[in-house]
């Protein structure tokens, strides 16, 4: 509950504009009681952003054991659901990671990179006609497309017009089309042969 409250407030108002007292009030506890769970506000921010690596580490353990087609569907379904259920998390990572210690930022960023390259491996297995660089572009496009739901939830004019289940299906379909049906010629125009990443991290 504390993490959910902090995620919501950090997303709406920013890390610096949110106090531990604000988080405690949103979670139904006093500000001082929050310190029984977290040492300080940075520790709370770390716990919020640790939702990312926990999700990605689970995916990294499950997807590679599946056939490529099933692995792709797993990645599409799981990341679409994650993005819809926690729409503010990506924005918090992009905007607030500077408030983390270097070791925490590098740890979370490292897990994120492993996750992206797992998508790349899956895309490459599904599209063997593509170079590694081209598969990597498609992987990042699909991930970025689903991450973009963050901005749908920022428009105050449409607070109740997003149906989560329908949005999730829409994202999965759009991600699948991006991965499977983007023309090779379009990718060749975007991927520089002089900078093709032939191996992951």
């Amino acid at each position: 509950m504390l993490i959910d409250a902090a995620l919501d407030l950090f997303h709406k108002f920013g890390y610096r504009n949110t106090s531990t007292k604000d988080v405690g009030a949103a979670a139904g506890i006093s500000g001082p009681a929050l310190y029984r769970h977290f040492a300080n506000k940075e520790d709370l921010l770390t716990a919020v952003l640790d939702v990312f690596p926990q999700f990605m580490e689970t995916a990294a353990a499950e997807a590679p054991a599946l056939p490529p087609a099933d692995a792709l569907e797993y990645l599409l379904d799981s990341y679409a659901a994650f993005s819809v259920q926690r729409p503010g998390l990506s924005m918090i990572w992009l905007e607030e990671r500077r408030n983390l210690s270097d070791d925490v930022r590098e740890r979370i960023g490292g897990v994120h990179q492993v996750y992206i390259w797992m998508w790349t491996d899956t895309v490459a297995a599904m599209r063997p006609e593509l170079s590694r660089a081209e598969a990597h572009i498609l992987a990042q496009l699909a991930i970025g497309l689903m991450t973009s739901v963050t901005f749908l939830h920022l428009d105050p004019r449409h607070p109740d017009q997003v149906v989560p289940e329908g949005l999730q299906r829409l994202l999965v379909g759009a991600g699948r089309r991006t991965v499977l049906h983007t023309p090779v010629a379009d990718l060749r125009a975007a991927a520089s042969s002089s900078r093709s990443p032939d191996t992951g991290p």
Side-chain angles (χ1 to χ4, degrees):
M1 184 177 291
L2 277 172
I3 291 176
D4 287 337
L7 193 159
D8 183 56
L9 292 175
F10 292 163
H11 179 213
K12 287 180 178 176
F13 306 112
Y15 174 75
R16 293 189 179 277
N17 296 323
T18 301
S19 68
T20 54
K21 183 178 179 180
D22 295 330
V23 175
I29 66 172
S30 67
L34 184 145
Y35 290 103
R36 290 201 291 268
H37 303 275
F38 300 99
N40 49 47
K41 195 165 75 164
E42 182 186 324
D43 193 28
L44 180 57
L45 176 62
T46 299
V48 167
L49 289 174
D50 264 334
V51 174
F52 251 143
Q54 290 164 12
F55 162 77
M56 292 177 179
E57 285 168 352
T58 298
E62 296 184 6
L66 300 172
D70 293 339
L72 177 62
E73 290 304 310
Y74 172 87
L75 292 174
L76 289 166
D77 288 337
S78 61
Y79 195 64
F82 182 81
S83 298
V84 170
Q85 291 162 12
R86 297 184 179 273
L89 199 57
S90 295
M91 180 164 285
I92 294 171
W93 168 247
L94 291 171
E95 294 190 348
E96 309 296 356
R97 58 186 171 184
R98 64 184 181 278
N99 294 301
L100 299 170
S101 63
D102 290 344
D103 60 325
V104 171
R105 186 166 56 248
E106 290 172 5
R107 174 177 60 80
I108 296 175
V111 174
H112 188 220
Q113 286 300 310
V114 170
Y115 181 73
I116 291 172
W117 283 102
M118 178 178 61
W119 269 80
T120 300
D121 291 339
T122 304
V123 173
M126 291 297 297
R127 301 280 304 268
E129 76 277 17
L130 302 181
S131 70
R132 182 76 163 165
E134 291 157 0
H136 192 59
I137 289 172
L138 279 187
Q140 298 226 57
L141 284 176
I143 292 170
L145 185 152
M146 288 186 270
T147 301
S148 70
V149 300
T150 291
F151 302 99
L152 290 178
H153 292 259
L154 288 178
D155 189 343
R157 297 169 297 177
H158 307 289
D160 302 315
Q161 294 186 17
V162 173
V163 178
E165 296 80 6
L167 179 58
Q168 184 176 328
R169 289 193 297 271
L170 179 66
L171 291 174
V172 169
R176 186 185 297 115
R177 288 190 295 274
T178 296
V179 169
L180 298 180
H181 301 299
T182 298
V184 175
D186 292 349
L187 285 165
R188 297 274 153 84
S192 170
S193 60
S194 63
R195 300 180 61 225
S196 297
D198 295 323
T199 58

